[in-house]
Each structure stands twice: as C-alpha cells, then as structure tokens.
Amino acid sequence: MSEPTSIQALARPEVLAMSAYVSARSGAGSDGVLLNANEAPGSLLQDERWAALDLHRYPPPQPAELRARLADIFQVPGEQVLITRGSDEGIDLLLRVFCRPGQDQVLETIPCFGMYRIATQVQGAGIVQVKRDPVTLAVRPQAVLAAIRETENLKLVFLTSPNNPTGDVLPAGLLDEVLEATRGRALVVMDEAYIEFCREASASAKLAEHEHLVVLRTLSKAWSAAGLRCGAVLAAPAVIELLGRIMAPYPLTAPAIAAALAVTTPEARERQRQMLRDLRREKERLVSELAGVGWVQDLWPGEANFVLIRVEDGPRLVRHCADRGVRIRDFHGQPLLDNCVRLTVGSSDDMAALRTALDDFQP
Ligand SMILES: *Cc1c(COP(=O)(O)O)cnc(C)c1O
C-alpha cells in the first residue's frame, strides 16, 4: 500500500483500509437499458411533475449538475464539493471518518450549535469545550489556541461564523492562527450556515492553500430550503474522497435534487436577494425595539437572521409567547446562557405577532 497522505494519516485506520461501496449508479453509466439495480421499470405516478422525477430509479449519488451549481454559488471548484443531506450529515461524516472512539478529541467553543457535541458523543470521541467570554459571548482566541496546543489526539476543531446562537462572526485573523496551530494534526471545520446574512467573505477562498480546512454550507437558512435537507461540505479532494467512502450510497432523494436545482436558479437568487433585504430591515426594527425595552437585560444582535436576548426569567418569556402562538427558543440552562432566548427574524406578519406578544409581557 502507498504511504498515506497527510490528510489520510488523520483518518481512522478502519476508514483508511476500506474502499467505498460501489452502487449500481456510482459504478456504471446510467444511460441505456438499466437492468443492474433491481428497480421497477416505470413509476406508478402518471402526473407529469412526478413522472419527470423518474422515481422508479435510484438517484445519482452526486448529481453532476447540482454539484456544478453548488460550486458556482459557493464559489469553489466542483472537485471541492460534496453534496450532503444538510450540514448535519457533513458533521456526522467528519466525526466518523476522523475520530477514533475512546481516543480522539473534538474542540468546540461553547455556546455553539449542539450537533457538534451530539455527533461527537455518538462516535464515542472526547469533546473539549472552550468557553466563550461570559459577557460578550465572543470567542476567546488565546483560550482556543491554548486548548489546541494542549489537547492530545485532537482531530477536529469546529468554528462557526456567524455563530449560533450568539450571532457573532469569528475575530479577524483567528482562522489563520487556528489553521497554523492545527497543520498536520487536525482538521478545522468552519460552519458557515448563516454567512449569507452577513458581509463576511467565506473561508472557502483558503481551501486551495489549506488541505486541512473544511467549510460547511447549507441551503437550510438563507436559501429558504430547510425542508430539502441539502448542504455541502467544501474541502480538498482528499477529504471529500474519505467522506465519500462511508457516505450512504444514495444520500439525496430525486425530489430533493430537483428542488435544490430549482431554489438556486438565477430567478430564485433574485428572490433571495429581496428576502435578505427584507429580513435585514425586519431585524433592524426588532433590534431597535428590543434595545428600548426595560426588561431586556442583554441583547446580542449578531450578524445572522436571529437575535439573542437575556431577561430576568427566560423560560417564563418563552411560555408567555407560546401561550400567544409565538414560538421562540429557550436556551436557559445551557452554559453561559442562563435566561437567554433566541428570536428568529421572520416575515413582517411574524414580527407583528411577536411584537404583540412582547408588548403585553409583564416582567
Ligand atoms: C441551522 C444550522 C445548520 C444547518 O444544518 P442543516 O443540517 O444543513 O439544516 C448548520 N450549522 C449551524 C450552526 C446551524 O445553526
């Protein structure tokens, strides 16, 4: 066997030793008379829209047209794109490829997205949780860099920009320092689920120089398509090849592929620009209103499509709104987030309903 590359050397030995399952659709062509996948010869659905989907066929595992489309909107070469069932699948694949149960470690900066920890626990890896600043909730660069230096068998460093639920973007220069500190040791995963809402540039421009950088993008938030379950891992081809080895043979359904192509057309992108403008306007109004409310003790506007606030009794505010049909997210009890509540910015009607609920809250 040839010497593993530097990225391969970080993978679990079991994954390095295996080869991917070769499915009927990945191994052979998909034209001609298809008698190699035990499919039915035709769909039971006669309606034109269903018929166009060829539901009786297994879908292409990584459809070329969608891959090219995502490469275009995320501004990377196609070879750096792995289409996934949402970012959640990307996170899970990274854990399963790179982290040995009982030995390897993952680093995250809490509070952050809960799925990094869940995927780590499922895999049986260890988690190093570097606390953010208790007042600003911003990442503490020196604490992160120190933890990277001190952690043995560190394999994945999760960074999120803008972060959920705090909304802040990563301090300038920190990604470069983390990439430097992890070179040859660990992968750095930049989760950019909310990047379209802010003016920051994607870290994907750094992929060519840094083989150990991974960027997660999703259609769930700024592309208005959470129901699709479609995202992308952007990474060096060596990383994508490893993730592909353990991925389900047909991760994307035919309706999801068709819908992902539809929500990324130029016309849909024009509507997206309008939606982002509308959400920015609704958010500015919400933030200025909350800033004038006496019972809002802390306010983190952030750069994404939500705001985080702290009140005297967070769970009571969440119940109060729920009683009026408005659901907001309770973070009480999570580290550094006592009595914190996250409010997603919605349509102007949604915001009017929220305003009505907040107006008659008695703290
Ligand atoms: C919402 C969110 C995602 C998106 O996950 P999907 O599986 O793509 O829907 C990823 N990361 C963060 C931080 C999020 O808040």
Side-chain angles (χ1 to χ4, degrees):
M1 220 172 78
S2 55
E3 277 293 296
T5 64
S6 58
I7 286 299
Q8 288 179 336
L10 298 176
R12 286 170 51 213
E14 297 88 336
V15 174
L16 206 52
M18 70 181 269
S19 45
Y21 172 71
V22 179
S23 68
R25 265 327 84 90
S26 66
S30 54
D31 48 353
V33 178
L34 299 179
L35 299 175
N36 62 351
N38 298 347
E39 297 150 327
S43 171
L44 300 179
L45 303 172
Q46 309 279 301
D47 171 272
E48 255 176 62
R49 303 218 10 201
W50 287 114
L53 291 173
D54 277 343
L55 281 182
H56 57 298
R57 295 292 175 203
Y58 281 103
Q62 289 287 304
E65 190 185 358
L66 182 56
R67 197 183 206 197
R69 184 73 62 76
L70 296 182
D72 179 43
I73 64 177
F74 298 144
Q75 298 276 289
V76 292
E79 60 176 20
Q80 293 178 355
V81 178
L82 181 72
I83 316 167
T84 57
R85 218 162 19 197
S87 297
D88 290 342
E89 183 182 27
I91 294 163
D92 180 55
L93 293 174
L94 286 161
L95 260 298
R96 287 193 289 135
V97 165
F98 291 102
C99 296
R100 295 167 298 178
Q103 292 183 61
D104 288 330
Q105 308 258 21
V106 171
L107 186 149
E108 65 175 10
T109 67
I110 53 166
C112 62
F113 188 44
M115 284 309 294
Y116 315 139
R117 179 179 54 81
I118 300 289
T120 302
Q121 288 173 331
V122 169
Q123 182 62 11
I127 191 139
V128 176
Q129 298 184 309
V130 180
K131 281 210 172 98
R132 290 162 164 262
D133 182 279
V135 176
T136 65
L137 298 181
V139 169
R140 293 178 303 131
Q142 292 317 314
V144 170
L145 293 167
I148 289 172
R149 278 193 303 272
E150 287 156 18
T151 304
E152 278 179 46
N153 293 329
L154 179 66
K155 287 295 167 60
L156 297 173
V157 175
F158 280 98
L159 300 172
T160 321
S161 188
N163 186 48
N164 175 12
T166 57
D168 58 323
V169 296
L170 210 65
L174 180 57
L175 178 60
D176 288 331
E177 288 184 273
V178 169
L179 284 167
E180 218 37 66
T182 49
R183 189 180 302 284
R185 289 177 58 203
L187 273 73
V188 179
V189 185
M190 264 295 261
D191 185 341
E192 297 185 337
Y194 299 97
I195 191 149
E196 293 89 348
F197 297 106
C198 73
R199 291 176 214 283
E200 298 285 308
S202 169
S204 57
K206 297 180 193 284
L207 286 171
E209 286 165 73
H210 302 282
E211 211 185 19
H212 63 307
L213 172 64
V214 175
V215 176
L216 301 179
R217 300 290 297 261
T218 180
L219 299 184
S220 293
K221 308 286 161 54
W223 295 86
S224 310
L228 269 187
R229 310 310 302 129
C230 185
V233 172
L234 311 181
V239 174
I240 288 181
E241 190 274 328
L242 287 165
L243 301 181
R245 290 186 192 194
I246 67 160
M247 202 173 193
Y250 303 106
L252 311 163
T253 68
I257 294 166
L261 284 167
V263 298
T264 51
T265 56
E267 301 75 58
R269 291 168 75 172
E270 189 50 49
R271 283 194 291 278
Q272 180 197 41
R273 274 189 283 277
Q274 184 59 48
M275 179 189 74
L276 293 177
R277 275 195 294 272
D278 291 346
L279 289 176
R280 195 164 297 133
R281 196 188 55 237
E282 293 298 338
K283 180 175 166 184
E284 275 168 20
R285 181 168 173 196
L286 175 66
V287 167
S288 73
E289 284 166 357
L290 290 170
V293 173
W295 48 262
V296 174
Q297 299 175 347
D298 282 306
L299 170 62
W300 295 272
E303 311 277 335
N305 62 334
F306 54 81
V307 302
L308 186 71
I309 58 173
R310 177 177 279 130
V311 299
E312 172 82 24
D313 186 344
R316 195 165 78 79
L317 177 63
V318 171
R319 277 194 308 275
H320 168 89
C321 289
D323 289 345
R324 284 151 187 81
V326 177
R327 308 207 176 270
I328 55 180
R329 185 76 176 249
D330 186 0
F331 281 90
H332 186 64
Q334 298 201 22
L336 306 184
L337 295 181
D338 274 348
N339 292 306
C340 286
V341 178
R342 190 190 64 199
L343 315 170
T344 301
V345 180
S347 67
S348 56
D349 286 351
D350 298 338
M351 294 292 97
L354 174 65
R355 204 166 286 126
T356 305
L358 295 181
D359 278 348
D360 69 0
F361 182 63
Q362 313 287 336

